């Protein structure tokens, strides 16, 4: 299966710098091994093909279940159906870690919360600004 079969584009790729970073982390600095440019490009092409394959299968599973969003369970089923059950525990572990990070991530505070003022005080300030702008507009140029 290729991305062309799914109406994809030949432009599908992964960032070379990111892939190189992953390769470097895996090989380690002390291994003395290097990863050739051709090998890296082949790894990128294979990765894109794998992602396309899993995504397509997960999409079909979600459609059969009348779901509009592909969820982790669809990826789980896709990996199993395509013959990659050994990847499922690691994928689910990473998905769980990601969910936990999202849950515990600091929520951005709004400008209202940052002001330290109550809603009433902010409303009063807003009304005063509107009044001031209206007065300035009505007084004309000058």
């Amino acid at each position: 299966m290729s991305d062309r079969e799914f109406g994809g584009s030949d432009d599908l790729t992964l960032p070379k710098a990111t892939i190189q970073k992953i390769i470097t982390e895996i090989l380690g600095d002390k291994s003395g091994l290097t990863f050739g440019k051709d090998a890296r490009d082949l790894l990128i092409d294979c990765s894109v093909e794998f992602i396309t394959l899993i995504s397509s299968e997960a999409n079909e599973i979600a459609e059969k279940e009348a779901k509009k969003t592909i969820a982790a369970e669809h990826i789980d089923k896709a990996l199993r159906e395509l013959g990659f059950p050994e990847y499922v525990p690691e994928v689910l572990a990473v998905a769980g870690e990601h969910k936990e990070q999202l849950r515990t991530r600091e929520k951005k505070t709004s400008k209202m919360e940052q002001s330290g003022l109550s809603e009433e005080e902010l409303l009063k300030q807003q009304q005063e600004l509107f009044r001031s702008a209206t007065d300035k507009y009505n007084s004309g140029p000058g």
Side-chain angles (χ1 to χ4, degrees):
M1 288 185 185
S2 115
D3 57 299
R4 286 175 222 68
E5 293 177 37
F6 306 108
S9 155
D10 289 333
D11 296 338
L12 291 176
T13 188
L14 296 170
K16 289 181 181 180
T18 302
I19 299 301
Q20 189 60 52
K21 183 178 178 184
I22 292 169
I23 292 168
T24 302
E25 285 180 19
I26 291 171
L27 292 180
D29 294 334
K30 298 177 182 177
S31 71
L33 296 172
T34 58
F35 212 80
K37 184 179 176 183
D38 291 347
R40 183 197 61 213
D41 291 345
L42 179 60
L43 179 63
I44 289 171
D45 290 344
C46 291
S47 298
V48 168
E49 191 70 24
F50 183 74
I51 292 167
T52 302
L53 177 70
I54 301 301
S55 299
S56 175
E57 185 68 22
N59 184 53
E60 288 179 23
I61 292 167
E63 284 178 351
K64 285 177 187 172
E65 295 177 3
K67 302 287 183 175
K68 292 187 177 189
T69 303
I70 297 173
E73 66 246 20
H74 301 124
I75 301 296
D76 177 337
K77 288 179 185 176
L79 287 167
R80 292 178 194 280
E81 288 181 17
L82 291 169
F84 302 105
E86 66 276 9
Y87 292 164
V88 171
E90 183 68 20
V91 167
L92 295 178
V94 170
E97 290 170 15
H98 178 69
K99 260 187 180 177
E100 187 59 32
Q101 285 176 353
L102 289 177
R103 208 172 308 148
T104 60
R105 180 176 73 181
E106 285 185 35
K107 294 184 179 181
K108 292 183 179 178
T109 57
S110 68
K111 287 186 178 184
M112 185 174 136
E113 293 169 332
Q114 290 173 355
S115 74
L117 300 173
S118 70
E119 192 171 342
E120 294 81 24
E121 292 169 317
L122 289 169
L123 184 59
K124 187 176 178 182
Q125 281 185 359
Q126 182 184 40
Q127 289 171 342
E128 183 55 42
L129 287 169
F130 283 146
R131 196 174 305 113
S132 173
T134 302
D135 292 346
K136 187 174 180 179
Y137 176 77
N138 289 335
S139 68

